Amino acid sequence: MPFLTSPTGIITRALSLAAVSASLLFVAMFLYVSLSRISYPFELEWLEGLSLQHVKRVLGPSGLYVKPTIDFIPNLYPPLHAYVGAVVCSVFGAHFTALRAISLLSALGVLALIYQFVARETSTRASLLNVPAIVAVGLFIATYDRVGGWFDIARVDSLLFFLVMLGLFMLRFYPSAGGFVVAGLFFVMAGFVKQSGFLIAVPLIGAVVLAHRRRGLYFGGAIGLVAAIVTVAVASLYEGNWFYYYVIDMPTRHPEVQGSAAESLWLDVIASMPISCLLACFAFFPGDGDAPRHRRIILGAFLVGGVGVSLAIRARVGAFVNDLIPAYLAVSILAGVGLERLFRHGRARAEWRLVPAYSLVLVLAQFWMLRYDPFAHIPTREDRQAGERIVEQLKAIPGDVFLPHHGYLAEMAGKRSFAHTLAIDNLRLEDRGPNREFIEGQISSALAQKRFGAVIVESDGWNLEAIKEHYKPGQLLNTSPGVFFPREGGALRPEQVFVPK
């Protein structure tokens, strides 16, 4: 083993240990943050309450996809996450902890599949210490801060990418007709968590057909047939065409923001993970093992799908940094494969002997670029106390409370919740017809009739002018600066009670 005992080999081994340690440090940071905040009783991100509201609708008699009213409007996502959440919450109770546990376990499943995928791809699956595979895991989980701390919150994304990774794993390593059908089923499930699961599958369908000819049609056929059957079946559970309206029609109307895909590619992906992107290019080097051409085709299609979906969604109004997860997932996997290719060439060619050491130095530099403060993602004792005080203040208000940003707080105070602000704004933004007029009329009428014992004005002043016509300022809910804002996403908190004039 002259390579390992030479000075260059010793340096490479030391740098490998440093890269593995950095990767495991980011994994440990993620676990620390997740476990520190999983039982926090208030929102970590302002749409967690909407996720919980969906679960409660599934558990209750009212249903999910119904005519929009001031009482409830669903989000524009398919229903699988809500149904999975309903199963878990029926056992453990309908609260944020149960939904965050789904995301945490899904995220850990994603990490395990990244490791297994890269290890299998690099033909060293028997090793428990596969440096490129561990680096790939570390590069992905190190984006935790860049994607807004999204991996462990009560949102759909981690479950989505767990299912995507299961489908990708089946595609790459079980290229039989049965394997392609199972892969298609996983992508259908991913698509019924969030529509982007179907979009990621589109280039993969072409790649599988190109690589495996007629046998690859099983993958696309399974997706198309099963998705059609499930869509019809789910739509039949609800009266009218409300499932199609929310899940298929309205998302296509989402307006775009100014800016080019090239600009987003540079700022959001390449500038954030320049070294990972560079290493990902080397994943397309020829390698040993079975069907290297097939490997490059599948990996290339996944890169196109992941990055393409991120750029497409980021070009829409309301997109957030969590929409970069598919790009970072694809780049991290390919970076691990590319690192192994550089290792292989370094061992095989004398003129490449320094490349493994240099590449590991670059990996460490990438980890340094992705460093973050984990404590910034953990709610403080003051946050919890502020939330408890707000709930007590809401309890003291007679009658219903209109708190559309954070309706779960009204429920914690023993009151009913109403339609969420995001769902209302989706209608305002994407529907210029009678549904928009109906919901705006309901809100205006409820305010004019002083239906609510109080209206809570948020830090963004949503609908403030309409509220002021019929309500006047009352007590302040929270005057402490920087306290009780969600740790992730929009900086929104309830601030002032408005009472009827």
Side-chain angles (χ1 to χ4, degrees):
M1 303 283 287
F3 175 78
L4 295 179
T5 57
S6 67
T8 302
I10 293 172
I11 292 173
T12 301
R13 291 177 66 185
L15 290 171
S16 296
L17 179 60
V20 167
S21 299
S23 296
L24 296 179
L25 175 61
F26 277 106
V27 173
M29 287 168 59
F30 165 67
L31 288 173
Y32 175 76
V33 172
S34 299
L35 295 176
S36 296
R37 67 187 196 170
I38 190 171
S39 61
Y40 182 63
F42 306 105
E43 285 177 326
L44 294 171
E45 190 272 338
W46 81 292
L47 296 179
E48 281 192 318
L50 184 54
S51 296
L52 187 60
Q53 192 178 37
H54 278 211
V55 169
K56 291 179 178 179
R57 296 284 297 194
V58 171
L59 291 172
S62 301
L64 194 56
Y65 301 108
V66 295
K67 179 180 176 64
T69 67
I70 193 174
D71 298 308
F72 175 72
I73 304 172
N75 202 355
L76 307 184
Y77 291 158
L80 185 55
H81 180 266
Y83 278 92
V84 171
V87 171
V88 175
C89 289
S90 66
V91 177
F92 298 102
H95 44 65
F96 291 133
T97 301
L99 297 185
R100 290 170 190 156
I102 294 172
S103 293
L104 174 56
L105 292 175
S106 297
L108 294 176
V110 170
L111 299 185
L113 286 166
I114 291 174
Y115 180 88
Q116 287 296 321
F117 189 97
V118 176
R120 290 281 295 269
E121 194 64 71
T122 55
S123 302
T124 53
R125 57 183 171 180
S127 172
L128 293 177
L129 186 61
N130 184 297
V131 173
I134 295 175
V135 166
V137 169
L139 289 174
F140 178 67
I141 202 64
T143 65
Y144 181 73
D145 186 68
R146 298 293 176 95
V147 300
W150 226 257
F151 296 147
D152 60 326
I153 63 175
R155 296 294 302 274
V156 303
D157 300 79
S158 286
L159 179 60
L160 163 68
F161 292 108
F162 176 60
L163 293 169
V164 165
M165 282 303 302
L166 285 171
L168 180 68
F169 197 85
M170 293 298 299
L171 274 185
R172 174 64 186 99
F173 300 113
Y174 296 91
S176 63
F180 291 150
V181 169
V182 173
L185 293 178
F186 281 129
F187 273 99
V188 169
M189 287 190 285
F192 276 91
V193 171
K194 190 175 182 180
Q195 295 91 327
S196 53
F198 288 120
L199 298 179
I200 294 172
V202 170
L204 286 169
I205 293 173
V208 172
V209 172
L210 179 63
H212 298 282
R213 303 293 187 259
R214 287 187 298 177
R215 187 160 33 115
L217 294 174
Y218 284 96
F219 176 55
I223 291 178
L225 180 61
V226 176
I229 293 173
V230 174
T231 297
V232 172
V234 173
S236 68
L237 298 176
Y238 303 96
E239 296 181 1
N241 294 317
W242 295 115
F243 173 78
Y244 296 105
Y245 174 75
Y246 290 113
V247 176
I248 298 174
D249 182 28
M250 285 187 65
T252 63
R253 305 184 197 175
H254 221 55
E256 296 184 0
V257 296
Q258 293 183 346
S260 67
E263 180 183 15
S264 180
L265 175 64
W266 171 254
L267 294 176
D268 292 332
V269 181
I270 297 175
S272 292
M273 301 185 73
I275 295 165
S276 296
C277 291
L278 176 63
L279 291 174
C281 297
F282 292 100
F284 299 97
F285 268 32
D288 299 333
D290 62 325
R293 175 177 173 271
H294 295 174
R295 170 182 65 80
R296 293 194 292 272
I297 291 173
I298 298 297
L299 290 180
F302 185 58
L303 182 64
V304 169
V307 174
V309 164
S310 287
L311 298 183
I313 299 176
R314 288 285 282 168
R316 300 285 178 173
V317 171
F320 192 60
V321 290
N322 66 297
D323 295 312
L324 296 172
I325 295 176
Y328 292 161
L329 177 62
V331 168
S332 298
I333 290 173
L334 267 70
V337 177
L339 181 62
E340 189 275 341
R341 294 294 167 228
L342 292 175
F343 279 13
R344 188 183 298 274
H345 283 274
R347 291 191 296 267
R349 301 181 181 182
E351 63 271 23
W352 285 64
R353 66 185 184 278
L354 295 178
V355 168
Y358 288 148
S359 62
L360 287 167
V361 171
L362 291 176
V363 165
L364 292 172
Q366 178 68 87
F367 281 132
W368 178 256
M369 292 174 63
L370 294 172
R371 70 194 186 281
Y372 65 90
D373 176 12
F375 298 103
H377 294 274
I378 302 174
T380 64
R381 181 176 60 182
E382 290 74 18
D383 290 324
R384 183 185 291 260
Q385 291 173 344
E388 292 169 349
R389 288 195 300 270
I390 288 174
V391 171
E392 291 302 315
Q393 288 176 291
L394 295 178
K395 286 180 180 180
I397 298 173
D400 291 332
V401 174
F402 191 49
L403 182 58
H405 282 31
H406 307 286
Y408 80 99
L409 288 171
E411 293 183 350
M412 291 178 72
K415 303 178 184 296
R416 59 178 300 188
S417 64
F418 294 90
H420 196 282
T421 306
L422 176 75
I424 296 172
D425 286 344
N426 282 337
L427 274 179
R428 288 175 165 175
L429 186 66
E430 296 157 10
D431 191 324
R432 303 295 179 182
N435 291 316
R436 173 184 175 176
E437 294 175 2
F438 178 76
I439 191 65
E440 289 188 336
Q442 277 205 323
I443 294 173
S444 297
S445 175
L447 293 174
Q449 296 172 11
K450 301 176 183 177
R451 171 181 169 182
F452 310 110
V455 176
I456 309 302
V457 172
E458 304 273 343
S459 52
D460 63 345
W462 184 84
N463 221 33
L464 181 58
E465 293 306 315
I467 293 170
K468 284 183 176 180
E469 290 183 18
H470 308 286
Y471 287 76
K472 61 184 179 181
Q475 64 178 322
L476 295 175
L477 285 175
N478 192 353
T479 56
S480 301
V483 175
F484 200 61
F485 286 101
R487 287 287 152 169
E488 317 299 351
L492 302 167
R493 68 174 183 177
E495 293 195 337
Q496 188 167 18
V497 176
F498 274 62
V499 295
K501 288 183 177 179

